[in-house]
Amino acid sequence: MTHIDRHDTDILIIGTGGAGLFAALHAQQSAPADTRITIAVKGLIGKCGCTRMVQGGYNVALGGGDSVERHFMDTIKGGKWLPNQDMAWKLCEQAVVRIHELENEIGCFFDRNPDGTLHQKAFAGQTADRTVHKGDLTGIEIISRLMEQVLARPVDKLQEHRAIGLIPTRDGSALAGVLFIDMRTGGFRLVRAKTVLMATGGGPTMYKYNTPSGDKTMDGLAMALRAGLELRDMEMVQFHPTGLLAGDHTRMTGTVLEEGLRGAGGQLLNGAENRFMFDYDPKGERATRDVVSRAIYAEMRKNNTSANGGVFISMAHLGPDNVRAKFPGMVKRCADSGFDLAGGLVEVVPTAHYFMGGVVVDADTRTAMEGLYVAGEDAGGAHGSNRLGGNGVANSTVYGGVAGDVMGADIRTMGALRDPCPYALQAEIDRALHPLTRQPAPVHPLRAALQDAMWDDVGVMRTATGMERGLTRVAEISDALMGVGVADDNLAFNLTWHDWLNLRSLCDVSEAITLAGLARENSRGAHYREDFLDEGDLDASYYTVITQKGSDLTVRRDPVQFTIIRPGETILPESEPETLVAAQ
């Protein structure tokens, strides 16, 4: 067996976005005083991942007629009745607690109204203006303050450590630890822990146009598949309607122009500069993300497009000075790519943004594997088939805190550290070393081929024929990757090696997305089947569950449990108006 460095801890947290950092802080409070806590991250704490990229804001019901019940109903309806209702309720209820914690304990400063109350802006698909924000750079504020808090605490920090395998005990009954590559040396490190939180983030970067941080390649879900865990809603990939379209020459293409632009009154125009959203939905630009993405894609297929093949977003009618004051980050981002957001037109395209699917967990973040907990975008259930804008960072921080509390309490009744299965450990090492045994060849062309395949065949609109073709293309890319090698003369910061491992994860998860898509023979939320246009019987709603045994994936359908509310019902009082949002 290859040499492996060892590190023992009580609580291990993989990922340092909103979920991971909140978990570390809460675990310190809930665990015994002598508990060892370790956080590990693929990059640098606070400098990588997607939480810092959040622009729009944080959904929380704070007043003005809004309520937790209204937030919950919007979340369930937005998720097309597929969410785990207990998780959705906890998200909405605890967001109120967490926003005060962010302000009063973590030190975040959010925008305020003249009377001192938190300013809350409009986001699509919601019946109240409930999105708390820091201009249009909310994520940087949250992650910077969380980073300051964690860096000041006695927590072990393994930066630039890439998780590559969940290592069970010999009998497979529990998780023993996690195998990492120390990217600074290229060596392996096994971290044993009594409890492990997987909060690596999702990041559907297997699509041609995508928004996530460049380090996001679905590693967590790929590891979960290999560990035999159940994953749900894997077909549900959210496309943000307005990704910047600046051409193939820049990596700015695909990055999000936030939803607050449309919430503030921004208009979408096709190539002929005609406003088109009301042709597709009575809510116009304020329809949910899935509806707006499909409308833009439909205009693209009609060739009603801009020069680069997308459509335009227009803000100038709101007053250029007003736009510059409200959205300084967006104005600068567009200016960097040669566009005038405040006074002109900006080209946009639907862009793969968020993954609603993930590991099956309960409302306390526990999984079926003893010792493993999952929070943030790695966890499935809270959003169902569609995530409301502003619910993402709320979900991460709420459930990160929940995970920290639960893990800190659970270790009080746990015994000694568990011994890892040597066969599982060796299998993960062999898997990681595979490209070092092959003749070096470029990885990037295969990554580009995967992105084209998923965009073309498993993208905004889907058919059985297209997805079956996509499965074949993904399999061919996976097979080709196994023949691609990486130079092994220096493994320290060997980015080509990590590009190979990134693509391996993306291929594995792409197969799962496509198989789950084929299994869902209706159109629900982010999953739109042109050959099955009907959304299906809401009362008989099901979610897909995918598992891996050996190298084979299987999909089944499980019925949604309507634990709080059934389709057609509401928990709002009869006197409540349908919406608190003024018509645009």
Side-chain angles (χ1 to χ4, degrees):
M1 182 177 287
T2 304
H3 173 73
I4 305 173
D5 290 330
R6 306 275 175 157
H7 179 90
D8 286 347
T9 190
D10 294 308
I11 295 174
L12 170 64
I13 297 165
I14 318 171
T16 59
L21 294 182
F22 247 109
L25 295 175
H26 274 245
Q28 270 209 324
Q29 298 169 358
S30 63
D34 59 348
T35 298
R36 298 163 297 175
I37 300 173
T38 300
I39 54 176
V41 60
K42 198 175 182 181
L44 300 174
I45 296 172
K47 303 298 183 183
C48 64
C50 293
T51 299
R52 69 172 289 107
M53 299 175 69
V54 170
Q55 300 156 6
Y58 191 113
N59 285 347
V60 55
L62 288 178
D66 198 7
S67 64
V68 170
E69 289 81 5
R70 180 175 288 275
H71 186 186
F72 171 79
M73 288 302 303
D74 286 350
T75 298
I76 297 300
K77 289 181 179 179
K80 308 299 182 186
W81 295 94
L82 290 192
N84 176 313
Q85 295 190 4
D86 295 331
M87 292 178 68
W89 177 262
K90 181 172 281 190
L91 163 63
C92 300
E93 181 184 51
Q94 291 300 307
V96 180
V97 176
R98 201 68 81 236
I99 202 72
H100 293 310
E101 186 178 353
L102 280 164
E103 280 202 294
N104 300 325
E105 298 181 34
I106 305 302
C108 292
F109 287 90
F110 300 114
D111 288 3
R112 294 186 175 275
N113 297 308
D115 65 359
T117 57
L118 285 170
H119 182 263
Q120 293 178 275
K121 59 185 175 181
F123 258 31
Q126 304 193 68
T127 62
D129 295 349
R130 65 167 63 96
T131 309
V132 170
H133 61 104
K134 174 70 170 178
D136 54 359
L137 299 170
T138 309
I140 288 178
E141 176 68 12
I142 291 174
I143 208 69
S144 296
R145 304 293 82 79
L146 283 171
M147 176 183 67
E148 291 167 355
Q149 294 286 340
V150 170
L151 291 178
R153 309 294 173 94
V155 174
D156 293 334
K157 303 165 186 73
L158 298 176
Q159 301 188 82
E160 294 171 327
H161 274 64
R162 179 199 187 104
I164 62 170
L166 303 174
I167 310 301
T169 55
R170 188 183 289 265
D171 64 3
S173 64
L175 185 65
V178 179
L179 181 65
F180 293 87
I181 294 174
D182 181 346
M183 299 170 71
R184 300 165 298 183
T185 65
F188 293 101
R189 172 167 283 118
L190 175 67
V191 180
R192 291 196 304 165
K194 296 177 182 177
T195 62
V196 174
L197 174 65
M198 193 171 80
T200 65
T205 55
M206 66 282 285
Y207 287 90
K208 180 178 180 180
Y209 303 111
N210 66 79
T211 72
S213 170
D215 60 304
K216 292 299 165 201
T217 52
M218 313 294 269
D219 299 323
L221 296 187
M223 291 192 299
L225 271 177
R226 295 197 302 278
L229 290 161
E230 294 186 340
L231 276 57
R232 63 171 286 171
D233 300 322
M234 291 296 287
E235 71 274 26
M236 300 301 179
V237 182
Q238 182 172 77
F239 289 85
H240 195 291
T242 52
L244 182 63
L245 185 57
D248 294 336
H249 64 283
T250 172
R251 292 185 65 181
M252 293 297 288
T253 286
T255 57
V256 164
L257 299 184
E258 65 128 314
E259 192 161 296
L261 297 175
R262 290 183 290 116
Q267 297 178 358
L268 293 172
L269 311 177
N270 61 23
E273 298 186 19
N274 295 321
R275 192 176 182 187
F276 60 86
M277 269 309 305
F278 285 101
D279 296 339
Y280 296 92
D281 192 279
K283 295 179 181 177
E285 285 84 0
R286 276 199 172 182
T288 53
R289 290 176 173 181
D290 56 320
V291 172
V292 181
S293 292
R294 287 196 295 273
I296 294 174
Y297 194 75
E299 291 294 300
M300 292 168 64
R301 293 207 301 193
K302 295 175 186 175
N303 292 320
N304 296 337
T305 59
S306 60
N308 284 311
V311 299
F312 298 109
I313 189 167
S314 172
M315 302 293 292
H317 59 284
L318 301 174
D321 290 341
N322 177 48
V323 174
R324 292 187 191 98
K326 281 189 173 181
F327 302 101
M330 293 298 94
V331 170
K332 184 178 187 305
R333 172 170 293 183
C334 291
D336 288 344
S337 298
F339 295 108
D340 179 10
L341 177 64
L345 300 176
V346 178
E347 292 184 76
V348 294
V349 67
T351 179
H353 180 54
Y354 189 91
F355 201 65
M356 277 76 70
V359 179
V360 173
V361 296
D362 66 16
D364 288 326
T365 73
R366 294 186 181 95
T367 71
M369 178 178 281
E370 181 185 346
L372 179 65
Y373 306 73
V374 181
E377 198 173 347
D378 280 332
H383 308 296
S385 64
N386 192 43
R387 176 181 68 85
L388 296 180
N391 267 5
V393 70
N395 176 65
S396 293
T397 54
V398 163
Y399 278 105
V402 169
D405 291 339
V406 172
M407 289 191 300
D410 283 357
I411 64 167
R412 294 176 181 271
T413 59
M414 290 182 175
L417 291 167
R418 309 173 191 95
D419 291 327
C421 172
Y423 305 108
L425 185 58
Q426 188 62 52
E428 290 293 346
I429 291 171
D430 292 344
R431 183 180 180 279
L433 293 178
H434 174 85
L436 307 183
T437 67
R438 298 294 186 270
Q439 188 69 24
V443 175
H444 179 72
L446 292 178
R447 174 80 175 258
L450 178 67
Q451 291 177 323
D452 285 341
M454 293 299 288
W455 174 259
D456 294 340
D457 295 332
V458 202
V460 177
M461 297 184 181
R462 302 166 175 177
T463 64
T465 300
M467 286 187 285
E468 286 165 357
R469 181 173 58 243
L471 265 183
T472 299
R473 293 170 74 180
V474 170
E476 289 172 347
I477 293 163
S478 296
D479 290 344
L481 180 63
M482 298 306 288
V484 169
V486 173
D488 63 353
D489 52 330
N490 184 359
L491 297 184
F493 288 114
N494 188 323
L495 298 186
T496 305
W497 185 24
H498 292 284
D499 285 344
W500 192 100
L501 294 170
N502 289 340
L503 186 52
R504 180 72 266 164
S505 293
L506 289 172
C507 285
D508 291 347
V509 178
S510 293
E511 181 185 0
I513 291 170
T514 310
L515 284 171
L518 283 165
R520 175 167 291 284
E521 295 181 333
N522 57 39
S523 292
R524 191 73 72 91
H527 175 72
Y528 188 80
R529 289 283 298 263
E530 292 185 277
D531 49 355
F532 288 97
L533 294 175
D534 189 79
E535 68 179 7
D537 181 2
L538 294 181
D539 285 313
S541 294
Y542 62 85
Y543 59 93
T544 61
V545 179
I546 195 161
T547 53
Q548 178 174 324
K549 187 171 184 179
S551 60
D552 296 326
L553 296 178
T554 59
V555 187
R556 72 171 192 270
R557 300 171 179 175
D558 281 0
V560 174
Q561 301 299 313
F562 300 118
T563 56
I564 298 175
I565 189 78
R566 294 193 65 84
E569 300 175 350
T570 181
I571 57 173
L572 295 178
E574 289 186 8
S575 59
E576 284 280 311
E578 182 178 343
T579 182
L580 306 176
V581 178
Q584 293 296 304

